[in-house]
């Protein structure tokens, strides 16, 4: 039976670093492909964890087919590199090839396209937007960047848009007009600033600044449209969010805050996954002397987890209203990463009965 969130067009996996988000995202992509879907998983994972899971090398910037199945299912993957995605954005919105080359060779652009705050999130959502429009895939899974604050991911496109419409853009646009002869009169203060900048950076770099700001000012409408489209995609019925965490108290508090932040922005989180829960094992009624310490440790650990889950279920009607709870058991390490993904994909289990977890 397919998991409900694998029936969507888009599944966005969010969560802070260290909770197994990338591995779980990959396991869900594999499971959906095994069920006969054509699946694309996008990742921004800087540690190349997903590449390791899927046994890939040198795969940045383009989609690669990982595996196909006899039922028609296909697993595709791509790692998003902000600079390459920004380059595609430039090519899509520049008027001429000359304009493209001017921007791609611009020193300020090359720097900002890799270090601009929000560039990872912006390019992730732009790549998602473009893949969705192609209608090439039944399901697109986005493994989001490991941002310190998950809400930054949601707000990144608008933040970039606001940057590109700020007063500095207006000022440099006017500066460009003056130097090209279109604007004949500017105040003396502006002339003085131009002179200082030319002395400090050289006329060539100032020309590059002008090209950059004149170009980004022409992107406003495109970026604004992308912001609107992305919000519609993320809040639409075809998209669901999966928040991945664990049973640690601080992580649960963090999950409550994330869910509240998203709701206040008009986007619900539909599923909360508790990863790396200790698996259920049969316990001997009379363990041997050597087994007793391990058995006692296991029983105490399981008891703590069960109480934690019971507490969460009691909070369901308040902090977690409308969110479905899932658990995924911890799996043993294996040299075969694909085997781990297959195992994890089969371990999703819905938490729905309080009596199961009360002690």
């Amino acid at each position: 039976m397919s998991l409900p969130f694998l029936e969507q067009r888009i599944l966005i996996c969010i969560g802070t670093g260290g909770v197994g988000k990338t591995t779980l995202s990959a396991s869900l992509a594999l499971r959906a492909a095994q069920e006969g879907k054509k699946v694309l998983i996008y990742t921004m994972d800087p540690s190349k964890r997903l590449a390791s899971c899927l046994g890939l090398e040198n795969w940045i910037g383009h989609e690669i087919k990982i595996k196909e199945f006899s039922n028609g299912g296909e697993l595709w993957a791509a790692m998003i590199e902000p600079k390459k995605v920004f380059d595609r954005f430039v090519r899509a919105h520049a008027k001429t090839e000359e304009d493209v080359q001017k921007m791609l060779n611009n020193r300020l652009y090359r720097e900002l396209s890799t270090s601009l705050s929000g560039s990872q999130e912006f390019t992730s959502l732009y790549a998602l937007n473009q893949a969705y429009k192609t209608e090439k895939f039944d399901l697109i899974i986005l493994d989001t960047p490991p941002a310190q604050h998950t809400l930054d991911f949601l707000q990144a496109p608008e933040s970039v848009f606001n940057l590109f419409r700020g007063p500095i853009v207006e000022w440099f646009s006017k500066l460009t007009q003056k130097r090209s002869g279109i604007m004949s009169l500017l105040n003396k203060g502006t002339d003085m600033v131009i002179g200082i900048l030319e002395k400090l950076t050289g006329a060539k770099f100032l020309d590059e600044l002008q090209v950059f700001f004149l170009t980004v000012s022409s992107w406003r409408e495109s970026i604004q449209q992308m912001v609107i489209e992305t919000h519609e995609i993320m809040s639409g019925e075809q998209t669901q969010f999966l928040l991945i965490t664990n049973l640690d108290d601080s992580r649960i508090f963090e999950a409550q805050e994330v869910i509240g932040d998203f709701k206040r922005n008009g986007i619900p989180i539909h599923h909360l996954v508790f990863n790396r829960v200790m698996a259920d094992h049969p316990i001997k009624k009379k363990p041997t002397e050597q087994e007793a310490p391990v058995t006692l440790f296991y029983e105490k650990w399981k008891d703590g987890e069960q109480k934690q889950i019971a507490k969460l279920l009691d909070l369901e009607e308040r902090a977690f209203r409308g969110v479905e709870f899932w658990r995924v058991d911890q799996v043993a390490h294996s040299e075969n990463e694909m085997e781990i993904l297959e195992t994890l994909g089969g371990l999703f289990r819905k938490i729905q009965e309080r009596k199961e977890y009360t002690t």
Side-chain angles (χ1 to χ4, degrees), residues 73-267:
E74 295 178 2
L75 176 60
W76 293 69
M79 184 177 290
I80 300 169
E81 186 178 46
K83 175 65 167 60
K84 290 185 178 181
V85 176
F86 258 121
D87 288 354
R88 288 205 301 271
F89 184 88
V90 171
R91 292 184 183 280
H93 296 91
K95 294 179 180 178
T96 67
E97 181 60 27
E98 182 182 0
D99 290 341
V100 170
Q101 294 307 318
K102 280 183 179 179
M103 195 60 168
L104 296 184
N105 293 322
N106 186 285
R107 282 176 284 177
L108 184 57
Y109 166 76
R110 290 202 301 265
E111 179 64 29
L112 289 180
S113 61
T114 56
S115 62
L116 178 66
S117 177
S119 63
Q120 286 190 336
E121 293 84 357
F122 175 82
T123 51
S124 292
L125 292 172
Y126 179 70
L128 174 67
N129 183 305
Q130 297 303 296
Y132 176 73
K133 285 180 178 179
T134 67
E135 299 186 348
K136 179 180 176 182
F137 300 98
D138 302 314
L139 172 65
I140 303 169
I141 296 179
L142 179 62
D143 170 34
T144 58
Q148 183 178 1
H149 301 291
T150 307
L151 193 62
D152 292 346
F153 163 76
L154 194 68
Q155 297 172 334
E158 190 168 356
S159 298
V160 172
F161 172 67
N162 289 335
L163 174 68
F164 287 166
R165 68 174 181 182
I168 192 170
V169 176
E170 297 286 350
W171 190 87
F172 269 99
S173 296
K174 291 178 180 178
L175 185 154
T176 302
Q177 292 175 335
K178 175 186 182 296
R179 287 173 61 87
S180 63
I182 296 173
M183 191 177 213
S184 59
L185 294 174
L186 280 178
N187 61 47
K188 292 182 179 180
T190 302
D191 284 333
M192 184 181 298
V193 172
I194 293 172
I196 292 171
L197 284 172
E198 286 184 336
K199 287 179 181 178
L200 291 175
T201 64
K204 184 179 179 181
F205 185 67
L206 188 57
D207 286 338
E208 290 194 54
L209 285 175
Q210 295 165 19
V211 169
F212 176 81
F213 283 106
L214 183 62
T215 302
V216 298
S217 67
S218 70
W219 287 351
R220 293 184 204 173
E221 187 175 333
S222 298
I223 295 176
Q224 185 176 27
Q225 184 60 33
M226 186 253 183
V227 170
I228 294 170
E229 288 178 357
T230 301
H231 191 275
E232 288 176 349
I233 288 173
M234 290 195 294
S235 59
E237 293 182 356
Q238 74 283 344
T239 301
Q240 289 204 351
F241 282 82
L242 197 74
L243 174 57
I244 298 169
T245 186
N246 58 38
L247 287 172
D248 180 78
D249 281 338
S250 63
R251 297 285 192 181
I252 292 169
F253 176 75
E254 183 180 77
Q256 289 177 308
E257 289 195 317
V258 169
I259 289 171
D261 286 341
F262 269 61
K263 283 184 177 179
R264 282 188 287 275
N265 280 269
I267 299 179

Side-chain angles (χ1 to χ4, degrees), residues 286-305:
K286 294 182 179 181
T288 65
E289 186 176 344
Q290 291 79 12
E291 293 169 338
V294 177
T295 300
L296 180 62
F297 172 81
Y298 172 79
E299 288 177 335
K300 285 185 175 180
W301 189 289
K302 286 299 293 182
D303 180 61
E305 286 188 336

Side-chain angles (χ1 to χ4, degrees), residues 40-41 54 56 59 62-66 75-79:
L40 169 65
I41 178 168
L54 300 174
L56 294 172
W59 66 312
H62 60 281
E63 300 160 3
I64 292 180
K65 185 189 289 187
I66 308 300
L75 176 60
W76 293 69
M79 184 177 290

Side-chain angles (χ1 to χ4, degrees), residues 39-56:
V39 185
L40 169 65
I41 178 168
Y42 269 131
T43 185
M44 279 290 309
D45 180 28
S47 69
K48 308 298 189 293
R49 175 63 183 159
L50 183 56
S52 172
C53 285
L54 300 174
L56 294 172

